[in-house]
């Protein structure tokens, strides 16, 4: 009776606690905040390119004026000590509008009309507006990072919407400063703010005419002297990246909020890759984590996603990260580092063994199967093999894998052996058994991996299974008697024997909040990664009825609520930073959860779709996995599902299946 009441309360929370949306969807696939009386309001968004990342902290104040600062990060301009956080960083609040003169006077009072996000940030405002609001100067600020250069770019378009000619003076300004040479790995760095319209004389604008000027915030080392600034080229490159990512791996469902957050997540998951001296490295971001890789964020979370997207830069960064980890395999089976930092020149291992070998084996084996490239698989096989052997050697007498902590690095207790590490090891063994066959490894070895996985599945249930706070689910570690969000992990790797009670526990008020899952019942901390894993696992278990209200609520909150437009890292730690790999995890909810794709060879996969009851169809188009390009369509046909896979115009498979049935697909 208690659990029934708790379930009803959770159901009420999912619907009744929807926030009032500040933002709305736009026809071009973006989101827009039409500023009215809902001010003051402030927020922050991270935007990245190969040589720069910027956290834009912005506010519309109580009078309607726009203020923002740029949290600038230059990952390859290293500072001393050259540790994890040693990117050159500055908070820059330069106001490029303050020097503007209209008819010889300051431009006047600003009132923001709207802010739009669609890979660019566009702020539309009015200045010198009349009492009836029909005569004003319009300003459009368009803010975005360079895709390849170490600069943040800003375009300003002033339009005369008055009834008279106006004169606008736009000065050319260049402000530079040098950093302390003793604090830079390469000595002093030059930080520059630049403002220019390309015109030395004032603009005389007739009604309806516009004037444009540009702002740049950049930094460079002493070796670079001449810098070319091309705002048109920078914007074209940024738009081309957005268009490319929008076109590949396109999710089409009846829910436009989910479709849009999926599209936004592809961008955030992909843009945070940096061209370091150690090659392309995906970085979480958050004004902390750049030019470095982690066994969880990169090897486990984001790398298995990139092959589906077909983003070349993403795939290269994934392969490169596994190559870096492979450097640290050793014949003595000492732990592999949790993180490789400082452009690949150093390591961080401050939390000890977090189960990193299981994370790497899980991610690398899935990546190899999904990318469909035998040459890459051959190269990474020794790394996978080593990680699996390491886990085997760390297996205790009860059959589960021991580690010093887990990916939360001691923030919450994890015992001597935790559920997450053993679950990842289980999935890695299955993937390795599939991959080994593709690479013609011995039948003895691949069979052993499969048998080891089968035994581990039983041992996971024996060791971790139990009643926790009234639910017959999992203890996260031996002796754990408080519900933890990571009890969802077995669902994501196909272990469903406790799925019903685990799902009830996850959606109970003990764990579920308006911001998703608490890390631990009774605490206030939440990390989106566990919510994203849980959604994927619950859908993989076939439960869309319970999942969808919560998934829709989460998607609505992250895309259209008070802090937008991406999945976040955590709170209170990090103040809900837009760490990049979490966006990859959002996309995997649909790829591996809702569509149920599980790679089984370099050119085949199991497909176990879960079509939500309120939907009649869904599609994933331009999937670039398995060295191919194909579409998946799922359509309701009475009580059955029609599953179709197309490769171009060629129909690979079309099959009518029952709910919960698996289709085997070879591309």
């Amino acid at each position: 009776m208690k659990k029934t009441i708790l379930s009803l309360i959770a159901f009420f929370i999912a619907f009744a606690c929807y926030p009032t949306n500040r933002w709305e969807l736009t026809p071009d696939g973006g989101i827009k905040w039409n500023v009215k009386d809902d001010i003051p309001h402030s927020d922050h968004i991270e935007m990245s390119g190969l040589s720069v990342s910027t956290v834009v902290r912005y506010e519309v104040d109580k009078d309607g004026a726009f203020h923002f600062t740029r949290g600038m990060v230059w990952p390859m301009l290293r500072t001393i000590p050259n540790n994890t956080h040693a990117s050159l960083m500055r908070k820059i609040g330069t106001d490029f509008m303050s020097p503007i003169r209209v008819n010889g006077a300051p431009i006047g009072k600003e009132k923001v009309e709207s802010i739009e996000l669609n890979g660019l940030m566009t702020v539309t405002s009015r200045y010198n507006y009349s009492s009836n609001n029909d005569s004003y100067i319009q300003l459009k600020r368009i803010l975005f990072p360079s895709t390849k250069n170490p600069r943040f770019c800003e375009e300003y378009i002033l339009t005369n919407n008055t009834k008279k000619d106006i004169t606008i003076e736009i000065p050319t300004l260049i402000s530079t400063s040098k950093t302390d040479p003793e604090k830079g790995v390469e000595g002093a760095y030059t930080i520059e703010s630049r403002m220019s319209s390309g015109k030395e004389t004032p603009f005389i604008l007739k009604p309806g005419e516009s004037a444009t000027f540009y702002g740049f915030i950049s930094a460079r080392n002493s070796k670079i002297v001449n810098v070319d600034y091309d705002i048109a080229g920078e914007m074209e490159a940024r738009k081309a990246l957005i268009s490319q990512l929008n076109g590949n791996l396109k999710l089409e469902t009846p829910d436009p909020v989910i479709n849009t957050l999926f599209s936004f997540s592809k961008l955030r998951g992909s843009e945070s890759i940096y061209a370091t001296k150690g090659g392309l490295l995906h970085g979480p971001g958050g004004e902390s984590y750049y030019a470095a890789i982690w066994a969880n964020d990169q090897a486990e979370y984001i790398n298995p996603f990139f092959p589906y997207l077909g983003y070349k830069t993403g795939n290269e960064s994934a392969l490169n990260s596994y190559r870096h980890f492979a450097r640290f395999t050793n014949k003595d089976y000492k732990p592999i580092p949790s993180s490789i930092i400082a452009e690949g020149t150093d390591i961080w291992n401050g939390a000890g063994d977090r189960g990193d070998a299981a994370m790497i084996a899980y991610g690398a084996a899935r990546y190899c199967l999904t990318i469909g490239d035998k040459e890459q698989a051959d190269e990474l096989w020794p790394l996978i093999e080593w990680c699996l052997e390491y886990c085997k050697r760390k297996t205790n007498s009860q059959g589960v894998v021991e580690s010093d902590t887990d990916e939360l690095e001691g923030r919450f207790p994890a015992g001597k052996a935790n559920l997450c590490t053993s679950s990842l090891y289980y999935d890695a063994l299955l993937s390795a058994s599939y991959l080994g066959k593709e690479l013609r490894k011995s039948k003895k070895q691949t069979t052993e991996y499969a048998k080891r996985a089968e035994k581990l599945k039983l041992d996971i249930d024996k060791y971790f299974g139990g009643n926790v706070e009234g639910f017959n689910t999992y203890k996260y570690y031996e002796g754990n008697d408080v519900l933890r969000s990571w009890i969802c992990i077995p669902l994501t790797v196909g272990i469903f024997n406790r799925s019903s009670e685990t799902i009830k526990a996850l959606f109970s008020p003990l764990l579920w909040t308006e911001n998703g899952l608490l890390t631990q019942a009774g605490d206030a901390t939440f990390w989106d990664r566990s919510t994203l894993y849980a959604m994927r696992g619950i859908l993989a278990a076939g439960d869309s009825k319970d999942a969808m209200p919560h998934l829709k609520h989460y998607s609505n909150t992250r895309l259209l609520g008070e802090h937008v437009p991406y999945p976040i890292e955590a709170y209170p730690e990090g103040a809900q930073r837009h760490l990049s790999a979490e966006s990859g995890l959002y996309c995997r909810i649909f790829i591996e959860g809702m569509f149920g794709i599980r790679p089984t060879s370099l050119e085949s996969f199991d497909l176990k779709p879960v079509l939500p009851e309120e939907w009649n169809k869904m599609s994933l188009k331009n999937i670039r996995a398995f060295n191919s390009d194909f579409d998946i369509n799922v359509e309701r046909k009475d009580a059955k599902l029609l599953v179709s896979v197309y490769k171009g115009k060629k129909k690979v498979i079309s099959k009518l299946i029952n709910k919960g049935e698996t289709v085997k697909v070879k591309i």
Side-chain angles (χ1 to χ4, degrees):
M1 183 67 177
K2 176 185 175 183
K3 284 190 286 185
T4 301
I5 294 171
L6 291 178
S7 296
L8 287 171
I9 294 172
F11 183 83
F12 172 80
I13 288 172
F15 284 98
C17 293
Y18 256 65
T20 301
N21 289 340
R22 180 176 295 275
W23 298 76
E24 61 186 42
L25 302 177
T26 61
D28 65 352
I31 62 171
K32 184 176 184 178
W33 171 29
N34 289 303
V35 180
K36 296 175 182 175
D37 56 357
D38 50 351
I39 51 177
H41 174 67
S42 60
D43 200 2
H44 56 89
I45 178 175
E46 185 158 10
M47 311 167 80
S48 308
L50 289 172
S51 300
V52 70
S53 195
T54 305
V55 176
V56 179
R57 293 180 174 85
Y58 62 96
E59 176 191 20
V60 179
D61 68 22
K62 62 183 177 62
D63 297 317
F66 185 72
H67 310 278
F68 75 108
T69 60
R70 311 156 189 86
M72 299 297 304
V73 183
W74 292 280
M76 281 66 74
L77 299 181
R78 308 300 296 170
T79 58
I80 295 172
N82 192 5
N83 57 25
T84 299
H85 310 291
S87 303
L88 177 63
M89 301 185 196
R90 290 291 187 276
K91 286 184 170 61
I92 297 176
T94 302
D95 181 4
F96 288 122
M97 285 300 297
S98 62
I100 302 298
R101 295 293 180 267
V102 178
N103 297 331
I107 191 169
K109 185 179 179 183
E110 177 184 18
K111 187 171 182 63
V112 178
E113 291 183 304
S114 66
I115 300 177
E116 295 182 62
L117 299 172
N118 60 356
L120 310 170
M121 183 175 187
T122 302
V123 184
T124 303
S125 300
R126 294 184 177 195
Y127 284 87
N128 289 347
Y129 50 91
S130 63
S131 58
N132 58 10
N133 234 11
D134 65 350
S135 180
Y136 57 91
I137 298 169
Q138 184 190 70
L139 169 68
K140 279 195 174 184
R141 296 176 178 90
I142 304 174
L143 315 176
F144 61 97
S146 169
T147 56
K148 63 178 181 179
N149 295 307
R151 67 181 66 128
F152 190 68
C153 308
E154 304 177 16
E155 181 177 62
Y156 292 75
I157 305 169
L158 289 158
T159 301
N160 180 9
N161 281 336
T162 73
K163 295 177 173 58
K164 299 178 181 179
D165 291 0
I166 60 172
T167 300
I168 298 184
E169 299 171 23
I170 302 174
T172 295
L173 299 174
I174 302 174
S175 173
T176 63
S177 63
K178 296 274 189 180
T179 64
D180 184 346
E182 298 299 318
K183 295 182 179 179
V185 170
E186 298 178 82
Y189 302 124
T190 299
I191 300 173
E192 180 178 280
S193 298
R194 177 182 290 258
M195 170 184 177
S196 176
S197 68
K199 191 172 184 288
E200 295 183 359
T201 57
F203 289 85
I204 300 175
L205 302 183
K206 296 181 183 300
E209 291 184 338
S210 299
T212 300
F213 72 93
Y214 310 103
F216 297 95
I217 307 292
S218 63
R220 60 185 185 271
N221 62 33
S222 58
K223 298 175 186 176
I224 300 173
V225 180
N226 296 317
V227 180
D228 178 40
Y229 291 92
D230 175 15
I231 188 70
E234 296 282 18
M235 186 175 291
E236 183 180 341
R238 178 70 175 178
K239 287 182 176 179
L241 172 64
I242 296 165
S243 177
Q244 177 191 354
L245 297 174
N246 283 345
N248 287 353
L249 192 66
K250 191 173 183 64
L251 177 67
E252 294 181 355
T253 78
D255 191 317
V257 173
I258 283 175
N259 296 344
T260 305
L261 183 54
F262 186 90
S263 183
F264 272 55
S265 297
K266 288 188 294 181
L267 173 62
R268 182 66 197 136
S270 300
E271 67 177 353
S272 191
I273 296 172
Y274 306 98
T276 78
K277 67 173 63 174
L280 293 172
L281 295 180
H282 184 278
E287 294 176 290
S288 288
Y289 310 114
Y290 302 89
I293 52 171
W294 280 259
N296 53 329
D297 291 72
Q298 282 68 49
E300 178 192 341
Y301 301 167
I302 193 77
N303 288 356
F305 160 71
F306 281 128
Y308 294 100
L309 183 59
Y311 180 47
K312 183 180 178 182
T313 301
N315 286 334
E316 287 183 11
S317 75
L319 178 60
N320 193 43
S321 72
Y322 293 128
R323 285 171 172 164
H324 276 293
F325 283 119
R327 292 164 40 208
F328 295 92
T329 57
N330 57 86
K331 60 183 174 65
D332 297 322
Y333 287 91
K334 294 179 180 178
I336 209 161
S338 300
S339 177
I340 298 168
I341 66 170
E343 299 186 84
T345 64
D346 203 351
I347 67 168
W348 177 84
N349 212 23
D353 176 14
R354 310 176 309 159
D356 301 287
M359 299 174 191
I360 294 166
Y362 164 88
R366 278 188 173 252
Y367 169 82
C368 287
L369 288 167
T370 312
I371 196 75
D373 185 318
K374 186 176 181 299
E375 186 176 330
Q376 289 190 33
D378 277 324
E379 179 183 354
L380 296 184
W381 179 256
L383 170 65
I384 296 166
E385 215 173 18
W386 187 93
C387 288
L388 294 177
E389 178 61 23
Y390 177 90
C391 290
K392 180 182 178 183
R393 293 180 181 215
K394 294 289 288 184
T395 300
N396 64 19
S397 59
Q398 291 153 294
V400 296
V401 185
E402 293 189 343
S403 59
D404 297 323
T405 180
D406 64 359
E407 58 94 33
L408 286 180
E409 299 167 1
R411 294 173 177 87
F412 288 83
K416 292 182 178 179
N418 65 78
L419 179 63
C420 197
T421 298
S422 289
S423 297
L424 294 174
Y425 176 42
Y426 164 79
D427 192 274
L429 287 168
L430 286 181
S431 291
S433 70
Y434 298 140
L435 186 61
K437 293 174 185 176
E438 290 289 290
L439 302 181
R440 300 187 182 279
K441 302 302 177 182
S442 71
K443 186 175 181 181
K444 179 182 178 182
Q445 184 181 21
T446 57
T447 301
E448 182 199 349
Y449 285 156
K451 287 183 176 179
R452 209 188 295 175
E454 187 177 348
K455 181 180 183 301
L456 180 57
K457 183 177 180 180
L458 297 174
D459 290 335
I460 286 172
D461 194 73
K462 290 177 185 176
Y463 187 88
F464 296 106
N467 191 291
V468 182
E469 299 198 75
F471 297 92
N472 188 23
T473 180
Y474 297 98
K475 298 167 289 183
Y476 187 58
Y477 56 90
E478 189 175 41
N480 168 229
D481 59 0
V482 179
L483 284 173
R484 294 285 292 272
S485 60
W486 283 116
I487 58 174
C488 66
I489 267 292
L491 305 180
T492 68
V493 299
I495 299 176
F496 301 129
N497 48 314
R498 292 177 182 266
S499 62
S500 178
E501 286 288 289
T502 298
I503 293 167
K504 289 177 183 177
L506 291 168
F507 287 149
S508 75
L510 296 172
L511 283 177
W512 186 263
T513 73
E514 63 179 354
N515 273 301
L517 290 170
L518 295 172
T519 299
Q520 176 175 286
D523 199 271
T525 302
F526 62 88
W527 291 67
D528 265 20
R529 58 192 64 174
S530 58
T531 299
L532 298 164
Y533 260 88
M535 290 299 178
R536 185 194 340 157
I538 293 163
L539 286 167
D543 188 348
S544 66
K545 185 176 180 180
D546 288 315
M548 287 309 294
H550 299 83
L551 177 57
K552 290 167 72 173
H553 176 83
Y554 171 89
S555 301
N556 186 84
T557 300
R558 290 291 177 264
L559 183 67
L560 301 175
E562 293 299 287
H563 176 42
V564 302
Y566 304 121
I568 57 96
E569 180 206 25
Y571 185 83
E573 180 176 329
Q576 302 190 60
R577 297 178 288 197
H578 286 143
L579 294 200
S580 178
E582 277 76 358
S583 283
L585 290 177
Y586 183 80
C587 294
R588 291 179 68 184
I589 291 172
F590 303 93
I591 298 166
E592 300 167 35
M594 191 169 285
F595 282 83
I597 298 176
R598 205 302 175 199
T600 54
S601 81
L602 298 178
E603 55 183 20
S604 68
F605 57 93
D606 286 347
L607 180 61
K608 187 182 177 183
V610 180
L611 184 64
E613 293 179 6
E614 62 266 39
W615 295 356
N616 287 321
K617 60 182 179 180
M618 62 183 186
S619 300
L620 262 182
K621 294 185 175 179
N622 292 334
I623 306 167
R624 297 302 180 95
F626 308 102
N627 197 27
S628 189
D629 183 353
F630 60 98
D631 302 339
I632 299 175
N633 299 319
V634 181
E635 188 174 354
R636 194 178 308 283
K637 294 290 183 181
D638 298 322
K640 294 181 179 289
L641 300 179
L642 177 61
V643 178
S644 304
V645 179
Y646 292 87
K647 188 174 180 180
K649 293 184 179 180
K650 179 185 175 183
K651 187 179 288 185
V652 177
I653 194 169
S654 183
K655 188 174 182 180
L656 203 60
I657 66 170
N658 294 312
K659 181 181 178 181
E661 189 177 340
T662 298
V663 180
K664 295 192 175 297
V665 181
K666 184 172 183 179
I667 293 296

